[in-house]
Amino acid sequence: MALLILGLVIFLGAHSVRIFANDWRSRQLARIGEKRWKGLYALVSIVGFVMICWGFGLARHQPVLLYVPPLWLRHLNALFTLIAFILVVAAYVPNNHFKAKLGHPMLAGVKTWAFGHLLATGMLHDVVLFGAFLLWAVVDFVSSRRRDRLAGVAYPAGTAKGDVIAVVAGAVSWALFAFVLHAWLIGVKPMG
């Protein structure tokens, strides 16, 4: 469990610099340049992510049950995860209503994914992982929206074409992950 927690601290810590130390981040960008900053950011993020995956795998070998979710919550998680995939894809698709309305659909997707998984799982390692991501995504979403308002950021209006692309690409990605990749990568078959 310690490796999982350390990985979360490193990964989410790197992703929280803009929330808690935006001025320091700006100074570092000016001092070392954008390419070096992005390289260091990517390196720290990868190290944290590997530690999360490794630590989560180790923690699964010593499960601690906190609660037993009813089966229908596991099915509901499939819907939450579908919505999460659509939102994450919407972060990259130009001119969609999700981005126009939310500003940060990827963070909304992470919140949705984490919340759904908290409903569907009840082991301590699940609660640590998904709870940490949910808390981080809520704080980052609020911080990002506040930063947008202060800077007067306005997102382009959404179009039906942008929405269709986001929904179709998100649904296809979700299906591929839910029916094939989740079992291969995570070792759990959520749809079977």
Side-chain angles (χ1 to χ4, degrees):
M1 186 68 74
L3 187 61
L4 171 60
I5 292 169
L6 182 58
L8 286 165
V9 168
I10 292 170
F11 183 84
L12 296 177
H15 285 78
S16 299
V17 170
R18 195 144 190 216
I19 300 170
F20 299 108
N22 197 33
D23 292 341
W24 178 83
R25 177 186 174 271
S26 297
R27 287 193 306 273
Q28 299 314 306
L29 273 164
R31 186 174 68 83
I32 66 173
E34 187 175 354
K35 285 185 180 182
R36 283 189 181 161
W37 173 262
K38 285 184 176 182
L40 288 171
Y41 180 85
L43 179 63
V44 170
S45 296
I46 290 167
V47 167
F49 185 74
V50 167
M51 291 173 73
I52 289 170
C53 294
W54 189 10
F56 188 76
L58 292 173
R60 287 170 66 185
H61 292 295
Q62 298 174 344
V64 176
L65 181 65
L66 298 178
Y67 56 90
V68 179
L71 187 58
W72 66 271
L73 284 179
R74 293 182 189 157
H75 297 300
L76 184 60
N77 183 40
L79 175 62
F80 277 109
T81 308
L82 171 61
I83 293 167
F85 267 81
I86 292 168
L87 290 170
V88 169
V89 168
Y92 298 99
V93 174
N95 304 322
N96 65 76
H97 286 92
F98 303 107
K99 189 162 190 164
K101 180 73 174 168
L102 297 170
H104 301 274
M106 179 178 285
L107 291 172
V110 172
K111 288 191 297 185
T112 305
W113 163 80
F115 180 71
H117 278 73
L118 281 172
L119 293 177
T121 59
M123 295 294 180
L124 177 61
H125 58 273
D126 296 318
V127 172
V128 168
L129 176 70
F130 301 118
F133 271 95
L134 178 59
L135 178 62
W136 168 80
V138 167
V139 171
D140 198 9
F141 186 82
V142 169
S143 173
S144 297
R145 293 298 284 175
R146 182 180 305 126
R147 200 168 43 249
D148 286 351
R149 281 192 301 277
L150 291 173
V153 173
Y155 291 93
T159 64
K161 178 183 175 184
D163 294 347
V164 168
I165 293 170
V167 169
V168 170
V172 169
S173 300
W174 169 82
L176 178 64
F177 196 79
F179 289 98
V180 179
L181 295 176
H182 199 282
W184 182 60
L185 294 170
I186 314 297
V188 176
K189 292 183 180 182
M191 307 307 268

